[in-house]
Amino acid sequence: GESVGLHLPTLSVQEGDNSIINCAYSNSASDYFIWYKQESGKGPQFIIDIRSNMDKRQGQRVTVLLNKTVKHLSLQIAATQPGDSAVYFCAENKYGGSQGNLIFGKGTKLSVKP
Amino acid sequence: EPEVTQTPSHQVTQMGQEVILRCVPISNHLYFYWYRQILGQKVEFLVSFYNNEISEKSEIFDDQFSVERPDGSNFTLKIRSTKLEDSAMYFCASRSGTGYEQYFGPGTRLTVT
């Protein structure tokens, strides 16, 4: 089975609302997790990452939460804007950070309604 | 802001032909990667490259694939004899020696006919 997966394939939110995108992983040995945003026709764009020795990390309008007990990762986007519309992927480092090969989930498409 | 660049943006080739996809990673980065994304699917790891050699490769990266860093700036992916199922977006990524985050290029869309 997949090492990393996403619960919801699509998410639609109203502009200004907060968005929460979820991700599950299965490899307990993974110690690094990363969120990417991919707009149509473009490459994945780094949003935020987190190491397994942390539970929470905040960036500009984004927060990543890591629950190692249930192997769950989430990305929170505050005050979602139309420009946030994209597919969001979580990814994990399967080898504990040694070479950095990323295993990606399927992606969640976020649509922001004006 | 430094970024990964890739050329060409779109490559059309006939089945059985060789293609070379080119990437210029962010300068002073030490780790280089190729990933691919079949239309509508997730991004899949192909190969990682460090210190002028392959450090890891996936089962997708068979004998038809090879990578090279011919000089101090370019990183290439060669597919010797393309198959229809090689049609995909190919992304190059790089990371520094200090952080784990990988920065991706805009991709090359490969279409095999």
Side-chain angles (χ1 to χ4, degrees), chain B residues 44-58:
Chain B
E44 300 175 288
F45 166 73
L46 292 178
V47 65
S48 58
F49 192 87
Y50 170 72
N51 200 23
N52 285 318
E53 61 182 19
I54 291 174
S55 47
E56 201 76 35
K57 57 184 180 180
S58 73

Side-chain angles (χ1 to χ4, degrees), chain A residues 16-91:
Chain A
D17 287 352
N18 297 334
S19 303
I20 299 176
I21 300 172
N22 296 304
C23 177
Y25 67 95
S26 58
N27 190 341
S28 301
S30 294
D31 69 353
Y32 175 75
F33 306 88
I34 189 167
W35 281 99
Y36 284 96
K37 172 186 179 183
Q38 187 177 29
E39 295 173 285
S40 181
K42 296 184 179 180
Q45 177 188 352
F46 170 78
I47 302 174
I48 192 167
D49 58 359
I50 188 167
R51 296 293 304 274
S52 59
N53 60 354
M54 301 173 69
D55 296 322
K56 179 180 179 179
R57 192 167 186 218
Q58 286 184 292
Q60 190 174 22
R61 277 201 310 119
V62 294
T63 301
V64 55
L65 299 177
L66 176 63
N67 185 331
K68 295 181 285 293
T69 303
V70 294
K71 297 178 194 163
H72 185 266
L73 192 70
S74 68
L75 176 70
Q76 300 178 1
I77 304 173
T80 314
Q81 302 168 1
D84 294 327
S85 294
V87 177
Y88 289 80
F89 292 95
C90 66

Side-chain angles (χ1 to χ4, degrees), chain B residues 38-74:
Chain B
I38 295 171
L39 186 64
Q41 298 187 23
K42 62 182 180 179
V43 178
E44 300 175 288
F45 166 73
L46 292 178
V47 65
S48 58
F49 192 87
Y50 170 72
N51 200 23
N52 285 318
E53 61 182 19
I54 291 174
S55 47
E56 201 76 35
K57 57 184 180 180
S58 73
E59 57 192 24
I60 302 170
F61 194 89
D62 61 22
D63 292 343
Q64 294 300 311
F65 290 86
S66 62
V67 290
E68 194 177 37
R69 187 154 165 83
D71 52 43
S73 60
N74 291 282

Side-chain angles (χ1 to χ4, degrees), chain A residues 36 38 51 97 99-101, chain B residues 33 35 37 42 56 100 102:
Chain A
Y36 284 96
Q38 187 177 29
R51 296 293 304 274
Q99 298 298 332
N101 313 335
Chain B
Y33 307 84
Y35 293 82
Q37 184 178 32
K42 62 182 180 179
E56 201 76 35
Y100 288 115
Q102 294 180 25

Side-chain angles (χ1 to χ4, degrees), chain B residues 1-5 24-29 103-104:
Chain B
E1 184 176 320
E3 57 183 19
V4 177
T5 59
V24 178
I26 295 172
S27 65
N28 80 0
H29 278 194
Y103 294 91
F104 283 72

